[in-house]
Amino acid sequence: MTQGSAKPARFPLALERVGQAGSAAKPRETLRPQRPLHEAARDARARTVPQGLGLDSALVRQRMVQRLRGEGIRCEPVFAAMDKVPRHLFVDTALAIQAYEDTSLPIGHGQTISKPSVVARMIELLFDGASARAAGHLGRTLEVGTGCGYQTALLAQLARRVVSIERLRPLYDKAVLNLAPWRLDHVRLVYGDGMLGHGPNAPYDSLVAAAGGDDLPPAWLAQLAVGGRLVAPMHRWGGRGQVLVVVDRHEGGLVRTEHESVHFVPLKSGVV
């Protein structure tokens, strides 16, 4: 080192000399463990509420619909309804991230919200009924087992009138809350025994059930209109698991057919 050269700085430096060497360096912004409250409030006001981990995006529902197309569902009205109704709003917050997977989810009290593919298939079968085919909609519809209200919201997009029955009071109350923002004047929620159907609004052009038993309750068959169709999970004749059972009422009587294997909660009578 030549004489007169600056000596290297030694540490520790005096406080007044910190930052002097390299005077061209820009002063750093003060680090804060949290943003000032006014900035946080400003950003919160600018957000769309709720964001729901991106679940409010229409693209999420569209991807679900595309998967259903790939699984063989072909009913365009069903796709339109599923594209419109956000499924994650009908499940518990902790499960919302799974709402658009093809899986059933618990909704409490031993009940579940059915897989999207099963819901879509059952409504697709309803649309193949004589009355629905002719009208292009599900007409007057009875749903047995409201649950959290998701399928009810779908049916409301597809039917002229929906009556939905729930036997479990806590789920009935939950469905009332979930559906209230939709302001569905043509939907009636009933707390009652679904096995009895709902005579005051019968007959029904479409009837769909979200629970399976050993056989179809006589009240359901009695309340089905001519040209109407019933879709419900029932034990296969012979007791080998559940299948989707379809019943069509014609002028000459009832015709029953069996379709895919499914697994639903048991059909029970009474109210709780």
Side-chain angles (χ1 to χ4, degrees):
M1 179 179 295
T2 59
Q3 187 175 6
S5 298
K7 294 182 180 180
R10 296 194 175 196
F11 292 91
L13 295 176
L15 287 177
E16 64 272 12
R17 295 186 60 195
V18 174
Q20 287 181 358
S23 57
K26 295 181 179 179
R28 293 183 179 180
E29 182 180 354
T30 304
L31 296 177
R32 302 178 186 269
Q34 295 179 331
R35 288 178 301 160
L37 290 177
H38 72 277
E39 292 183 10
R42 179 197 62 203
D43 292 348
R45 287 193 298 269
R47 291 195 189 105
T48 301
V49 179
Q51 289 193 335
L53 303 176
L55 298 177
D56 290 293
S57 169
L59 293 176
V60 178
R61 298 191 293 278
Q62 290 168 10
R63 285 196 293 268
M64 178 181 70
V65 166
Q66 289 304 318
R67 288 196 301 270
L68 295 176
R69 290 183 188 275
E71 293 180 15
I73 305 296
R74 292 291 179 266
C75 187
E76 292 300 327
V78 173
F79 294 149
M82 287 188 146
D83 194 43
K84 184 175 182 180
V85 179
R87 190 172 185 251
H88 70 278
L89 297 181
F90 292 85
V91 301
D92 291 340
T93 304
L95 300 173
I97 195 67
Q98 303 177 59
Y100 297 101
E101 298 175 8
D102 195 26
T103 185
S104 58
L105 297 170
I107 56 175
H109 309 282
Q111 307 299 302
T112 61
I113 178 175
S114 298
K115 300 167 61 170
S117 59
V118 173
V119 173
R121 177 58 175 152
M122 293 178 77
I123 300 178
E124 180 179 52
L125 286 171
L126 285 178
F127 263 99
D128 282 338
S131 292
R133 264 199 327 270
H137 56 76
L138 297 180
R140 183 176 298 175
T141 299
L142 175 65
E143 178 189 31
V144 178
T146 312
C148 61
Y150 174 66
Q151 182 174 259
T152 314
L154 294 176
L155 293 171
Q157 314 302 314
L158 304 168
R160 292 295 183 264
R161 172 78 169 164
V162 178
V163 177
S164 184
I165 308 177
E166 177 54 57
R167 64 180 291 270
L168 300 176
R169 185 73 198 209
L171 288 185
Y172 168 82
D173 292 338
K174 178 182 286 190
V176 170
L177 290 175
N178 287 342
L179 292 169
W182 293 80
R183 301 181 182 277
L184 302 171
D185 294 335
H186 63 302
V187 173
R188 180 182 180 189
L189 301 184
V190 178
Y191 171 55
D193 186 347
M195 290 187 69
L196 302 178
H198 190 67
N201 291 104
Y204 299 99
D205 305 298
S206 305
L207 194 157
V208 62
D214 292 326
D215 206 352
L216 297 168
W220 296 1
L221 301 176
Q223 293 172 21
L224 192 61
V226 173
R229 169 169 279 202
L230 179 158
V231 178
M234 285 290 137
H235 289 296
R236 193 191 308 266
W237 280 337
R240 302 185 309 278
Q242 290 180 341
V243 293
L244 288 179
V245 169
V246 171
V247 176
D248 293 290
R249 179 178 287 281
H250 304 291
E251 292 287 353
L254 300 170
V255 176
R256 170 175 170 152
T257 55
E258 294 185 356
H259 295 261
E260 297 92 334
S261 296
V262 289
H263 182 71
F264 277 78
V265 295
L267 177 65
K268 296 181 180 180
S269 62
V271 295
V272 179

